[in-house]
Amino acid sequence: MDIRSTLTQLCEAFNAHDLERIMAFFADDCVLEMPRGAEPWGTRCEGKRNVRDALATRFEGLPDVHYGKSEHFADEAADTGMSKWTLTGTTREGVKKEVQGCDFYTFRDGKVIRKDSYWKIVE
């Protein structure tokens, strides 16, 4: 598996807002940890259906969301990778957003088993 290539393809799928293509990269028992939430880890979603539903909220809340200036890093031996990006988008209320962040990925058998997202807090 070429993790860096997979991360590039994942970023392209996110920018296309193509949930089916995104979810094709994820294992059935995947975990997603979103940056916001009531717990120190944010919000945790487990299982492919729950992860898909959580990712759909990103496209609903920021209909024009885009992950630009992306850079991808891989540790093939550890089955891990990281994508660094600048998120831009506009909320449904017309508020423009721009924030830097990154996603840490863990893979098993060529599929994402964990996506842990972080972003800067803009005040």
Side-chain angles (χ1 to χ4, degrees):
M1 161 179 202
D2 180 349
I3 291 175
R4 188 182 310 262
S5 174
T6 299
L7 295 175
T8 298
Q9 293 173 49
L10 259 167
C11 189
E12 290 168 356
F14 271 95
N15 283 334
H17 300 191
D18 187 340
L19 276 172
E20 297 311 315
R21 196 164 100 197
I22 293 166
M23 294 314 300
F25 289 96
F26 284 77
D28 289 339
D29 61 342
C30 58
V31 173
L32 169 67
E33 290 186 344
M34 301 287 279
R36 292 183 183 183
E39 301 296 336
W41 54 83
T43 299
R44 182 176 294 143
C45 305
E46 298 181 27
K48 200 167 186 173
R49 183 71 204 169
N50 292 330
V51 168
R52 185 189 190 287
D53 291 347
L55 293 175
T57 65
R58 171 64 41 80
F59 301 130
E60 291 166 8
L62 292 168
D64 62 344
V65 67
H66 180 81
Y67 298 86
K69 302 178 187 173
S70 62
E71 297 178 71
H72 308 291
F73 309 90
D75 182 344
E76 303 285 345
D79 285 330
T80 60
M82 183 188 78
S83 292
K84 181 179 170 185
W85 35 258
T86 299
L87 177 149
T88 56
T90 310
T91 67
R92 294 206 175 275
E93 298 76 32
V95 178
K96 300 269 186 202
K97 299 286 183 179
E98 181 175 356
V99 63
Q100 291 181 344
C102 61
D103 293 310
F104 290 93
Y105 289 92
T106 306
F107 295 87
R108 181 186 65 231
D109 300 326
K111 297 286 187 178
V112 175
I113 58 170
R114 181 179 213 81
K115 178 181 185 286
D116 194 358
S117 295
Y118 296 85
W119 64 48
K120 301 288 186 180
I121 298 171
V122 178
E123 299 179 313

